[in-house]
Amino acid sequence: MRSMKKELTMVMVMSMLLAFGMEPIATAAKQEAPMSSGTTYVLLYLDKPDAFLNGQQVTLDAPATILKDKTFVPAKFLGDAFGMKVEWNEKTRMIEMITPTNNILLDSDNKSVWINGYWQKFDDVAAIVNGRLMIKLTWLADYMGAKYTYNNELRRVDVIYTKPPQGIYNPKSGNSKPVAKFTFAKPTYKLGEPVKFVDLSYDPDAEGTIKYEWTGRQEAYFVPGTYPITLTVQDIHGNKSESYTRNLVISNDTYLSAIEYPIFMKPVGSFITTDWSTIWGNFWELPQLPKTATEDRSRKLLVSDSPEEFTEKGILYQDDVEGKGRLYADHINGTTEKVTLAILAKNTTNQPVTIKTTNKGEVWPSVYANLIGSEATVDFLLGDPLEETLTVPPNQTFIYKQFPDFYPGQGVNLFYDVETSGKIQFSFVATGEVSQSSLTLPLLPFTGHVRGSFPVSQVNWQIDASSFTTPSRLIIGDGKTDPFQPGYDPMRKMEVKNDGNYGVIYKIHADKPRKMAVMIMAKGGVFKGPFKINGDIRLVPESGVITAFDGMQILAKTTGKEDALDIEFSPPAGSAFPIELIFYPLDDRAQ
């Protein structure tokens, strides 16, 4: 007997769940409450499933019936018809009814009803018939505010309900709530198609709305279906509108994929956050964009980067420049005291030699290696006009550059493009006090980083970006497709390589580029640095650092009407390589 009761209880619960469960998405959304209200007219026939709602015939799961000489009518059907909540709450195991003036909880397990907190006996007001909640007809007048008549001859119940309209004006404050409202530019959108939201909200007091709260709103959707989107607005007094919901239909046709969408739609400078599987499956091994590489050997590059972190005072690097040169240094103070970094210029000839500085990249000392590398490169790529001259008498040593003291753990990075009228020996020195006698300091030993002089300080890549049709890439700094430049270290008297090509300027040029997006992926590790795109500096990223696991940043977009695309870059100190420039073809869908 107990087992049978338990099974009946489970059947009843499952029936109520079906009766009061979640409705399909397409019908769950509620439109705004109308300003005016009308009359709902319902005809119910005792023990017959046929009924009429505002003149339209409907079929009921649970028809009106007589129980213990009292007429009971279907609660869920009438609640929906009158716009009132009648739902099963699984957590509380109660049926919730909300009418304009009453909050009602019906507990069938404990045969209790709570009306605005007051208890009544369940069997006096409600019944469960075939798993459906039925309420006593007299409740219509008492709690739903409906009127009814009973036609004994036809065995029909006529129910009339006029929903009382609610105003938005508060006479105490003399102010109205704002009204939330919006629509879409069109009723149906494709997968990955940008959705245009048309705001129709207004404030009856003409004070304007200041805060918008959306639920369910996205730029685009990538799963077909019907999406309820809700808006609530707030005015300057803090008055909040009623929620307004519209359903947006997303068809199964594709406009843009989830991978394509940010590339096509996001502006230059945007960071596209992604995941490893997306990177690996779509961007890791793209075909390489054809390029023709040439080398500029007109300027000798001196790189002082070892010891990168010096632990004693001395000469970090030393070599001669006659004509055009580039001085590049990246060092960290590994001592326990503050030191000064200086570049000494020694004229070893019997004639005066003039040093002209035409470009510079400087940064204040910092403990953040990525930061100093990026900021010094920014300064250099800016290419601000610079005409500094220094004439060194015969057999004299002058201080070419002296930098602010930098403290233990701090680093500096610097570039200088120089032109000399004769041979000058440049020495990079770390010391406490700079003087001509600093040249007597010991030559500090090599510790594994880049050090040497290199004949190539600029590489030029001519690329064909006019007609490619699949995403393609350029690799920078892999030592293979982009070889590391060979050079010579006179302090060790041996041939060396510029691993990473630090201090080298890359100039990438494309004639008549097609419509496309250019993105950077930091494939080798942590990266922070600038690019110069058709004269504009682009920081990657705007703040912090990136890796391939973080995603990609959009460097540039072309319209297909430009005469040329020029990209200028120099590997920033503190960043890892290789990196990849990804060229992604776009079409008319792109913004």
Side-chain angles (χ1 to χ4, degrees):
M1 190 67 180
R2 288 181 181 178
S3 176
M4 183 177 294
K5 284 185 177 181
K6 183 176 181 181
E7 291 177 1
L8 288 174
T9 301
M10 290 299 296
V11 170
M12 182 181 295
V13 169
M14 291 302 296
S15 299
M16 287 191 291
L17 284 172
L18 292 173
F20 302 109
M22 288 294 291
E23 297 184 16
I25 288 179
T27 59
K30 298 178 181 178
Q31 297 292 341
E32 66 171 337
M35 181 176 66
S36 59
S37 63
T39 296
T40 301
Y41 182 33
V42 178
L43 300 180
L44 303 170
Y45 294 89
L46 292 179
D47 300 319
K48 290 185 178 181
D50 296 327
F52 289 86
L53 173 60
N54 294 327
Q56 299 294 318
Q57 185 172 354
V58 294
T59 301
L60 303 179
D61 290 337
T65 190
I66 301 293
L67 299 173
K68 298 179 181 179
D69 298 325
K70 302 294 183 182
T71 304
F72 283 75
V73 291
K76 178 64 173 172
F77 170 70
L78 292 175
D80 289 347
F82 300 160
M84 301 178 190
K85 177 181 178 181
V86 181
E87 291 183 358
W88 166 260
N89 187 317
E90 173 63 21
K91 291 183 178 179
T92 63
R93 295 186 53 78
M94 294 185 187
I95 300 166
E96 299 176 355
M97 295 179 60
I98 299 178
T99 75
T101 57
N102 299 279
N103 291 326
I104 303 169
L105 298 175
L106 297 104
D107 184 352
S108 60
D109 292 342
N110 298 302
K111 297 298 182 180
S112 298
V113 176
W114 299 89
I115 304 171
N116 297 332
Y118 293 95
W119 180 86
Q120 274 191 274
K121 188 177 179 181
F122 185 89
D123 293 339
D124 288 346
V125 298
I128 301 296
V129 179
N130 295 328
R132 297 296 189 266
L133 175 66
M134 310 294 286
I135 60 172
K136 192 182 295 185
L137 186 56
T138 54
W139 263 39
L140 290 172
D142 293 340
Y143 297 111
M144 281 191 167
K147 297 180 180 179
Y148 67 90
T149 58
Y150 175 68
N151 188 317
N152 187 51
E153 182 179 355
L154 298 177
R155 291 175 55 82
R156 188 181 76 191
V157 179
D158 295 17
V159 183
I160 297 177
Y161 175 73
T162 302
K163 186 176 182 179
Q166 294 182 346
I168 61 174
Y169 180 74
N170 185 344
K172 293 181 180 180
S173 65
N175 201 260
S176 301
K177 293 193 296 185
V179 178
K181 197 168 189 176
F182 69 94
T183 189
F184 313 110
K186 55 183 184 178
T188 303
Y189 284 81
K190 297 178 181 179
L191 298 172
E193 183 177 7
V195 179
K196 182 179 180 181
F197 294 84
V198 182
D199 180 26
L200 303 173
S201 305
Y202 64 93
D203 183 1
D205 304 307
E207 296 168 324
T209 53
I210 62 168
K211 186 176 181 181
Y212 286 71
E213 296 178 2
W214 294 89
T215 302
R217 174 172 173 166
Q218 298 176 196
E219 293 181 15
Y221 299 78
F222 299 96
V223 177
T226 302
Y227 293 84
I229 302 169
T230 301
L231 171 63
T232 305
V233 297
Q234 186 174 304
D235 67 14
I236 61 174
H237 301 290
N239 296 318
K240 205 169 187 179
S241 72
E242 297 296 328
S243 296
Y244 178 82
T245 301
R246 294 189 76 90
N247 288 322
L248 175 66
V249 177
I250 303 298
S251 71
N252 204 21
D253 301 316
T254 300
Y255 184 81
L256 289 170
S257 69
I259 294 172
E260 293 173 322
Y261 182 84
I263 301 173
F264 274 69
M265 295 300 164
K266 289 188 176 296
V268 169
S270 298
F271 192 81
I272 301 174
T273 303
T274 183
D275 54 52
W276 176 242
S277 62
T278 300
I279 290 287
W280 178 259
N282 297 274
F283 300 102
W284 197 251
E285 294 293 342
L286 294 176
Q288 296 192 45
L289 204 62
K291 71 176 187 285
T292 301
T294 58
E295 299 173 341
D296 186 341
R297 294 174 174 264
S298 65
R299 186 180 298 278
K300 184 179 181 180
L301 169 63
L302 277 61
V303 177
S304 177
D305 190 25
S306 185
E308 184 177 78
E309 182 176 2
F310 57 87
T311 57
E312 58 182 313
K313 299 172 184 177
I315 297 174
L316 301 161
Y317 187 59
Q318 189 178 76
D319 198 8
D320 298 334
V321 171
E322 186 172 6
K324 291 183 177 181
R326 176 171 299 147
L327 312 178
Y328 179 93
D330 183 60
H331 293 286
I332 299 171
N333 181 359
T335 72
T336 58
E337 56 186 305
K338 70 177 182 180
V339 298
T340 295
L341 180 69
I343 303 176
L344 302 183
K346 181 179 180 180
N347 181 357
T348 58
T349 73
N350 56 8
Q351 298 290 328
V353 175
T354 298
I355 304 170
K356 183 169 68 173
T357 305
T358 58
N359 195 11
K360 69 171 180 63
E362 299 174 333
V363 64
W364 293 95
S366 171
V367 297
Y368 298 104
N370 303 111
L371 176 67
I372 62 174
S374 177
E375 293 303 324
T377 309
V378 167
D379 198 33
F380 192 83
L381 291 182
L382 283 174
D384 291 333
L386 185 65
E387 288 292 336
E388 294 180 355
T389 59
L390 172 67
T391 299
V392 184
N395 301 307
Q396 293 290 314
T397 300
F398 280 6
I399 299 174
Y400 169 67
K401 293 290 179 183
Q402 181 173 346
F403 303 93
D405 292 338
F406 67 120
Y407 289 78
Q410 290 186 327
V412 292
N413 184 222
L414 57 89
F415 291 72
Y416 292 99
D417 273 356
V418 298
E419 296 178 10
T420 70
S421 61
K423 182 182 290 187
I424 289 288
Q425 181 191 70
F426 286 100
S427 300
F428 299 80
V429 178
T431 185
E433 185 174 339
V434 183
S435 67
Q436 289 191 354
S437 63
S438 298
L439 290 180
T440 63
L441 289 169
L443 301 177
L444 297 183
F446 176 79
T447 59
H449 292 82
V450 178
R451 189 176 77 182
S453 298
F454 304 91
V456 174
S457 61
Q458 179 176 309
V459 293
N460 304 309
W461 290 355
Q462 180 76 34
I463 62 173
D464 182 3
S466 61
S467 58
F468 70 100
T469 56
T470 59
S472 304
R473 62 176 171 160
L474 287 176
I475 305 173
I476 298 177
D478 67 341
K480 298 175 183 177
T481 59
D482 175 27
F484 295 141
Q485 294 298 324
Y488 186 77
D489 181 356
M491 294 175 63
R492 289 185 290 160
K493 295 181 173 53
M494 63 180 295
E495 294 182 350
V496 295
K497 279 193 175 182
N498 185 355
D499 293 334
N501 285 343
Y502 294 101
V504 175
I505 299 297
Y506 288 74
K507 291 195 173 182
I508 303 169
H509 177 84
D511 289 318
K512 302 291 184 182
R514 63 157 296 157
K515 190 170 187 176
M516 64 181 177
V518 183
M519 300 176 291
I520 173 178
M521 181 169 66
K523 197 170 183 179
V526 174
F527 180 86
K528 181 180 182 65
F531 288 79
K532 194 173 185 179
I533 311 290
N534 284 356
D536 294 334
I537 295 292
R538 308 280 165 79
L539 301 179
V540 180
E542 292 290 338
S543 62
V545 296
I546 63 169
T547 70
F549 295 97
D550 300 314
M552 302 171 293
Q553 182 168 321
I554 301 176
L555 286 177
K557 283 189 172 182
T558 56
T559 63
K561 299 178 181 178
E562 293 87 354
D563 290 330
L565 172 67
D566 285 290
I567 302 174
E568 193 170 346
F569 173 74
S570 185
S575 288
F577 287 85
I579 62 170
E580 291 186 359
L581 299 183
I582 297 174
F583 296 77
Y584 204 99
L586 303 178
D587 54 36
D588 291 340
R589 294 172 294 174
Q591 292 184 354

